[in-house]
């Protein structure tokens, strides 16, 4: 249940009576964090080398859909900051999504263990520390790892995100979009990678050349490049990430029976060697939420807070269209009650257009060992409001579990910059034991829904059946320019799409035949009846 420290204050802005004894500048900073409504406690103010526990640094709950950035060098405490914020959000009834890159966030479901460091930190910041676990669900991308499998269909994933995963250039990205356009318009549903490979193979084959001409701007050479990229991608073992049952992102919005928000932990440690893949999958989850949730406007608390770890991977070598889609998604999803926190090393890792949308900032220590480090430090300092701190000195001198903070006040204005000693998480700071994790996964009501992959008939099987419907002589006669009956001159894709079996199956699974699938900002599929929320 909600901690008493995170409940709304019944009085005017909350400033401790003892805070009057603070130095004048510290008192001014503390006053900027005195909110009347529900707020999450981050820690206590650091000033002139001292921790001032009567000057509490907080963030208004209602402002957490205004997005944020958690940054800092490796080993400075970013993961613990995510855990601290996530467990307080859960206590306030807000679901949370966490990408667990290193595998050490699974402990959020278990009560923490008191020790000298935890007790010392709690005493420093006047925290009433109580060991508490959160309701949690555990997921694994493509079922690789210990968790409920998260998969996407190729149709749902869309051409823009898939191009990022395949590392296609701008021309190839546009060509892949044309392939999706062709498949969508012909009712050839792309469930897994072999479906997409089958469509591209067909378009580059002798019998598909006439169809290729109808896909404006797609050359045979570029289609061949896409096909080779797909084949190499499959050879790397990526097939398991695409397929059915496709994950319903509505699962991320659940609350427990006691009203606390469920913390969804996506384990990524097993796929760390595929950073382009997992970072793009995280963006697919967010894009799917974006086009599926209704507008809410300003809310008292977020509907979901989404932490996007290793955020720089999203932007590395990203096309202009991809960056535009990220920027627009971040800008618009706030009105749907979803807050997004990007987690990375420096603000420089995030494009300026996206950084401008991030009103809540928790900046851990930075190092300045090299000229590049110094450049990143200078750039980071410039992204903060004017401050009485010497931020270059402060940022290089922060200890583990300390950060420079500025958030949006209840009025939407930036708070004063506050060097902060952060609180200790109250859940287990480390991985959950293997047996406990396996029990949690197997006992989830979602496990049976997603555990077993389903390979139903889709584009690959339909094209194969269409190819097998004719003998070699008849296939040659039906090829463009060889004459033959009109029905034999139909393309293979049209024959498959018009078959009675295909139409029957399509009706049963809700596939759209004869009209193109509607796609959203990232080219992800939007189909009627796709969600039941």
């Amino acid at each position: 249940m909600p901690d008493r420290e995170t409940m709304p204050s019944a009085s005017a802005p909350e400033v401790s009576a003892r805070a009057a004894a603070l130095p004048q500048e510290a008192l001014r900073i503390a006053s900027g964090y005195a909110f009347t409504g529900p707020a999450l406690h981050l820690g206590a103010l650091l000033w002139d080398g001292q921790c001032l526990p009567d000057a509490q640094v907080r963030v208004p709950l209602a402002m957490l859909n205004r997005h944020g950035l958690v940054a800092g060098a490796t080993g400075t405490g970013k993961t613990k900051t995510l855990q601290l914020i996530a467990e307080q959000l859960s206590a306030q009834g807000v679901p949370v999504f966490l990408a667990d890159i290193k595998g050490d966030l699974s402990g959020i479901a278990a009560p923490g263990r008191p020790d000298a460091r935890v007790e010392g930190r709690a005493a420093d910041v006047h925290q009433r520390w109580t060991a508490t676990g959160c309701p949690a669900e555990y997921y694994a991308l493509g079922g690789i790892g210990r968790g409920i499998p998260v998969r996407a269909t190729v149709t749902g994933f869309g051409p823009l995100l898939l191009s990022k995963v395949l590392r296609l250039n701008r021309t190839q990205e546009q060509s892949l979009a044309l392939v999706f356009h062709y498949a969508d318009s012909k009712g050839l549903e792309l469930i897994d990678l072999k479906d997409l490979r089958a469509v591209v193979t067909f378009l580059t084959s002798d019998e598909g050349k006439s169809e290729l001409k109808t896909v404006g701007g797609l050359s045979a050479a570029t289609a061949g490049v896409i096909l080779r990229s797909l084949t190499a991608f499959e050879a790397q073992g990526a097939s398991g990430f695409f397929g059915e049952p496709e994950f319903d992102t509505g699962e991320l919005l659940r609350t427990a029976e006691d009203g606390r928000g469920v913390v969804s932990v996506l384990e990524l440690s097993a796929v760390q060697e595929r950073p382009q893949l997992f970072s793009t999958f995280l963006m697919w989850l967010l894009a799917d939420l974006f086009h599926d949730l209704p507008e809410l406007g300003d809310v008292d608390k977020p509907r979901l807070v989404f932490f996007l770890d290793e955020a720089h991977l999203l932007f590395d070598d990203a096309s202009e269209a991809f960056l535009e889609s990220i920027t627009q998604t971040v800008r618009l999803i706030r009105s749907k009650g979803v807050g997004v926190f990007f987690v990375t090393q420096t603000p420089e890792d995030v494009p300026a257009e996206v950084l401008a949308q991030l009103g809540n900032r928790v900046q851990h220590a930075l190092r300045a060992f090299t000229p590049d480090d110094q450049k990143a430090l200078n750039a980071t300092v410039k992204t903060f409001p004017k401050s009485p701190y010497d931020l270059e000195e402060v940022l290089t001198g922060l200890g583990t579990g300390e950060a420079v903070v500025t958030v949006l006040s209840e009025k939407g204005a930036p708070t004063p910059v506050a060097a902060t000693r952060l609180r200790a998480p109250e859940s287990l700071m480390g991985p959950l034991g293997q047996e406990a994790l396996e029990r949690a996964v197997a006992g989830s009501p979602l496990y049976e829904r997603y555990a077993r992959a389903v390979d139903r008939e889709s584009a690959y099987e339909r094209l194969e059946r269409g190819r097998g419907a004719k003998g070699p002589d008849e296939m040659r006669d039906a090829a463009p320019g060889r004459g033959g009956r009109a029905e034999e001159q139909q393309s293979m894709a049209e024959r498959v799409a018009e078959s009675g079996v295909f139409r029957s199956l399509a009706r049963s699974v809700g596939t759209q035949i004869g009209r193109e699938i509607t796609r959203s900002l990232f080219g992800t599929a939007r189909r009627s009846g796709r969600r039941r929320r």
Side-chain angles (χ1 to χ4, degrees):
M1 296 299 291
D3 188 306
R4 286 176 297 168
E5 294 179 298
T6 63
M7 295 299 287
S9 171
S11 59
E14 180 185 320
V15 180
S16 168
R18 291 174 293 183
L22 296 174
Q24 184 176 0
E25 196 62 58
L27 180 60
R28 187 188 70 81
I29 294 172
S31 298
Y33 293 87
F35 308 125
T36 58
L40 309 188
H41 289 252
L42 298 179
L45 184 69
L46 290 169
W47 182 258
D48 199 20
Q50 300 295 316
C51 180
L52 307 176
D54 295 321
Q56 291 290 306
V57 177
R58 307 187 302 154
V59 54
L61 182 62
M63 290 294 111
L64 285 169
N65 69 330
R66 302 296 180 93
H67 311 318
L69 176 72
V70 178
T74 301
T76 56
K78 296 191 299 294
T79 300
K80 300 302 179 286
T81 298
L82 306 190
Q83 192 168 344
L84 173 68
I85 296 173
E87 61 189 23
Q88 292 187 66
L89 284 166
S90 174
Q92 292 281 9
V94 178
V96 179
F97 172 87
L98 295 174
D100 190 7
I101 303 291
K102 294 173 288 187
D104 54 1
L105 279 169
S106 58
I108 198 167
R113 300 187 185 120
D115 58 27
R117 288 187 303 172
V118 169
E119 292 169 355
R121 177 58 61 98
D124 282 349
V125 300
H126 284 187
Q127 175 185 5
R128 294 195 294 273
W129 191 91
T130 304
T132 309
C134 301
E137 289 281 6
Y138 297 99
Y139 301 97
L141 196 58
I144 298 179
R146 294 164 297 180
I148 298 164
V150 173
R151 306 179 188 89
T153 64
V154 172
T155 283
F157 203 71
L160 191 57
L161 292 172
L162 190 59
S163 295
K164 183 73 163 60
V165 171
L166 296 176
R167 301 189 177 212
L168 302 181
N169 63 32
R170 178 60 172 160
T171 299
Q172 294 158 359
E173 176 187 288
Q174 293 170 337
S175 296
L176 184 61
L178 291 172
V179 174
F180 271 76
H181 170 83
Y182 175 80
D184 290 350
S185 62
K186 296 297 183 183
L188 294 172
E189 195 167 12
L190 308 174
I191 301 299
D192 51 27
L193 291 177
K194 74 176 185 296
D195 289 320
L196 180 57
R197 180 162 45 82
V199 173
V200 179
T201 299
F202 165 68
L203 289 173
T204 56
S205 67
D206 288 341
E207 63 268 27
K209 284 181 179 178
S210 61
E211 291 294 303
L212 184 65
K213 292 177 181 179
T214 69
V215 187
L218 176 61
S219 70
T222 303
V225 171
I226 294 172
L227 184 60
R228 290 192 294 274
S229 297
L230 278 171
T231 302
F233 190 50
E234 286 182 291
Q236 296 168 9
S239 297
F241 302 107
F242 297 91
E244 288 185 323
E246 184 175 62
F247 183 69
D248 184 346
T249 52
E251 313 288 9
L252 304 179
L253 305 174
R254 296 163 56 220
T255 55
E257 291 181 359
D258 61 5
R260 290 183 295 168
V262 172
V263 180
S264 298
V265 182
L266 178 63
E267 178 188 341
L268 295 171
S269 56
V271 292
Q272 285 189 75
E273 72 279 6
R274 298 186 180 98
Q276 290 278 342
L277 177 65
F278 74 68
S279 63
T280 310
F281 247 88
L282 295 181
M283 203 65 223
W284 171 74
L285 291 172
L286 193 60
D288 195 68
L289 282 165
F290 169 75
H291 72 56
D292 206 45
L293 291 176
E295 293 283 338
L296 294 179
D298 291 329
V299 291
D300 294 334
K301 64 181 182 181
R303 189 171 187 174
L304 170 73
V305 176
F306 193 102
F307 288 92
L308 214 162
D309 207 351
E310 298 292 343
H312 66 280
L313 297 171
L314 270 178
F315 306 111
D316 291 347
D317 302 320
S319 69
E320 184 178 343
F322 189 85
L323 292 176
E324 288 175 356
S325 294
I326 292 178
T327 303
Q328 193 167 357
T329 299
V330 172
R331 182 183 298 119
L332 299 177
I333 202 169
R334 178 185 69 80
S335 64
K336 300 192 175 192
V338 177
V340 183
F341 275 72
F342 291 86
V343 185
T344 188
Q345 292 206 5
T346 76
E348 276 199 318
D349 294 335
V350 181
E353 296 81 1
V354 177
L355 190 63
Q357 308 297 318
L358 311 182
N360 301 300
R361 301 274 300 280
V362 180
Q363 176 68 59
H364 287 265
L366 291 174
R367 309 306 178 207
F369 299 138
T370 68
D372 285 344
D373 290 343
Q374 185 63 49
K375 180 181 176 182
L377 175 62
N378 294 338
T380 298
V381 169
K382 292 177 182 178
T383 65
F384 279 90
K386 186 177 180 181
S387 164
Y389 291 101
D390 181 341
L391 283 180
E392 282 197 25
E393 180 179 343
V394 170
L395 286 172
T396 53
L398 290 170
T400 302
E402 297 176 344
V404 169
V405 174
T406 180
V407 301
L408 293 180
S409 71
E410 291 166 312
K411 295 181 180 179
T415 58
V417 175
T420 306
R421 180 161 295 166
L422 299 168
R423 293 185 169 212
E426 297 183 342
S427 53
L428 181 63
M429 289 186 280
L432 198 64
Q434 181 172 344
E435 290 186 4
L437 181 56
E438 289 175 352
R439 283 196 304 270
V441 172
S444 169
L446 304 180
Y447 184 74
E448 288 300 320
R449 189 179 307 170
Y450 295 106
R452 181 176 296 181
V454 177
D455 187 14
R456 64 177 172 85
E457 188 176 40
S458 49
Y460 172 81
E461 290 81 9
R462 293 160 193 163
L463 286 172
E464 285 295 303
R465 191 171 64 224
R467 182 176 289 112
K470 287 181 172 288
D473 294 336
E474 290 175 291
M475 186 69 78
R476 281 195 303 271
D477 290 341
R482 293 185 180 270
R485 297 190 306 272
E487 61 187 36
E488 291 179 338
Q489 292 176 334
Q490 286 181 304
S491 74
M492 183 185 302
E494 287 171 333
R495 291 197 304 273
V496 172
E498 292 173 3
S499 70
V501 173
F502 181 85
R503 287 198 300 269
S504 175
L505 180 62
R507 283 194 296 270
S508 69
V509 297
T511 322
Q512 297 179 354
I513 304 300
R515 64 187 178 93
E516 188 174 348
I517 294 172
T518 302
R519 295 189 173 274
S520 67
L521 288 175
F522 275 98
T524 53
R526 301 186 64 180
R527 289 172 289 155
S528 59
R530 190 166 175 238
R531 295 289 184 264
R532 297 186 302 274
R533 291 194 182 135

